[in-house]
Amino acid sequence: MAKDKELEDGEVYRGLCGILKDSNWLTAEVLPTDKDTVVQIDVVLRRKTVKFKDSTKHGYGSLRFKGKDKELGLNSTHIRVLKALFGPDTSAWFGQFISLYVDPNVNAFGQIVSAVRIRAKRPTPTEAQAR
């Protein structure tokens, strides 16, 4: 097979498949499925417009975490849990620890998919320190 001159050499990769995609968003493919991932909210962001592969969202919120590269897009489920944990003022969310987990049975886009969810309880101080 002839080597394409435009294709970079690449590197051997062994790891989570979600990292293979070049994306700024935290997805179920980049989190472990067998345990919670405790993260600390660095900032809450609001963007006027975010373009996705198949759509454009207006007024889209996300969370950026301390020490992490990827952001979690905020859907109505995430916002409802964060509001129950920390109140409706997003100022109170900054610096808080939350537990993320993968729910393998989310009904979205007409199919069952795995999705990142926020655990509806605060992590214990021990869990937060162990992150």
Side-chain angles (χ1 to χ4, degrees):
M1 184 164 105
K3 188 172 180 181
D4 185 345
K5 299 278 186 203
E6 299 297 317
L7 188 61
E8 70 176 79
D9 288 339
E11 61 188 33
V12 175
Y13 175 76
R14 290 187 174 101
L16 296 171
C17 62
I19 295 172
L20 291 170
K21 296 186 282 184
D22 188 18
S23 172
N24 295 325
W25 302 107
L26 184 65
T27 63
E29 293 88 5
V30 301
L31 290 179
T33 57
D34 60 339
K35 64 180 182 174
D36 286 5
T37 300
V38 177
V39 292
Q40 185 177 20
I41 299 170
D42 187 19
V43 295
V44 180
L45 299 167
R46 183 178 187 276
R47 293 184 174 90
K48 290 183 180 183
T49 305
V50 176
K51 293 183 181 184
F52 294 97
K53 184 170 75 171
D54 297 328
S55 66
T56 299
K57 303 244 183 195
H58 300 282
Y60 191 74
S62 66
L63 297 178
R64 186 176 296 152
F65 304 110
K66 289 189 178 178
K68 305 294 182 191
D69 294 333
K70 296 184 181 283
E71 295 178 23
L72 178 65
L74 293 176
N75 60 31
S76 59
T77 302
H78 296 144
I79 291 171
R80 185 173 60 249
V81 171
L82 290 165
K83 183 178 172 185
L85 289 172
F86 309 118
D89 184 348
T90 62
S91 300
W93 303 359
F94 288 57
Q96 298 290 346
F97 287 91
I98 58 173
S99 296
L100 303 177
Y101 69 98
V102 176
D103 183 344
N105 297 306
V106 174
N107 188 353
F109 315 111
Q111 57 187 342
I112 301 298
V113 298
S114 292
V116 177
R117 293 291 189 225
I118 300 170
R119 188 86 50 206
K121 67 177 184 107
R122 295 180 188 206
T124 65
T126 306
E127 291 170 321
Q129 288 175 344
R131 68 167 197 92

